[in-house]
Amino acid sequence: MTTLFISDLHLDPSRPAITDLFLAFLRDEAMQADALYILGDLFEAWIGDDTPSPAADAVAVALHAVADAGVPVYFIRGNRDFLVGEDYARRAGFTILPDPSVIDLYGRPVLLQHGDLLCTDDTAYQQFRAQTRDPVFQAQFLSQPLAARIAFAQKARDASQARQSEMKQGDRAQFETVTDVAPAEVDATFGRYGVDTMIHGHTHRPAIHALQAGGRDCTRIVLGDWYEQGSVLRVTPDGWTLDSLAS
Ligand code: OKV
Ligand code: MN
């Protein structure tokens, strides 16, 4: 009995070995699980379910095979793939969950989220997030021809990269703080949902944090990215382990 949690694969044609590692993980391990949860940023970029992508097709087929084997697959949108829609969800056989969601994990309530909502010190990002989650804005973007969306995405990625490297070259300690979760928001989130366990990705800082929130002992589990190797949280009724997957 094992439930699997992953996030931040950032699948991209430029890193085919990671897509292969993920396909092997689905074939070998996920097929045997109780459930698979993907907590966002499965893809490095997503500009609409209608975008032709052999890699996204292969991933959809492999995920659907897991679902067909009787393993429920759940997906929470990340900050990169926030435009993944119900059409791709059908092709991949997964269920899209709201961000955040509380699930019952072997009898305990656990809060799941991508993790970007916890990074409240990055006000510029939170502004971008609020704007790009507007359904009217999204429908307008998705109605544009593919070439226009590709050009827009390239510009967004260039601007983001420029901003990141500028922030890094400035105050390095400040960069580390701004791009990590805000402790006050973590505390508030534990209180708001009344849980004592949360699982998220996004920050690419894999760890299991024990902390106090509202006078309770709480656990915050952070999944790692799949840039150099895989990262998977395996939960059984008896406990959890956060492991690397060699590529
Ligand atoms: C995703 C991020 C690029 C961060 C969507 C309006 C809509 C543009 C879009 C273009 C970019 C997603 C869809 C991408 C996330 C970046 C750079 C930084 C910080 C809308 C305009 F739908 F909301 F209206 N885009 N792409 N970034 O390349 O996948 O998260 S993307
Ligand atoms: Mn992210």
Side-chain angles (χ1 to χ4, degrees), residues 8 10 39-41 76-83 99 113-133 137-138 156 159-161 163-164 167 175 177-182 201-203:
D8 302 285
H10 292 262
L39 303 188
D41 289 358
I76 290 179
R77 297 179 179 99
N79 60 295
R80 314 297 310 213
D81 51 14
F82 61 88
L83 285 178
D99 183 8
Q113 59 187 145
H114 177 57
D116 53 335
L117 279 172
L118 297 170
C119 300
T120 49
D121 291 341
D122 194 345
T123 51
Y125 169 71
Q126 291 300 335
Q127 209 176 332
F128 165 86
R129 187 185 195 281
Q131 204 175 38
T132 53
R133 299 307 166 100
F137 193 47
Q138 287 191 357
S160 167
Q161 240 170 19
R163 177 172 171 262
Q164 285 266 332
M167 282 206 312
F175 174 81
T177 307
V178 166
T179 56
D180 202 352
V181 301
H202 180 66
T203 62

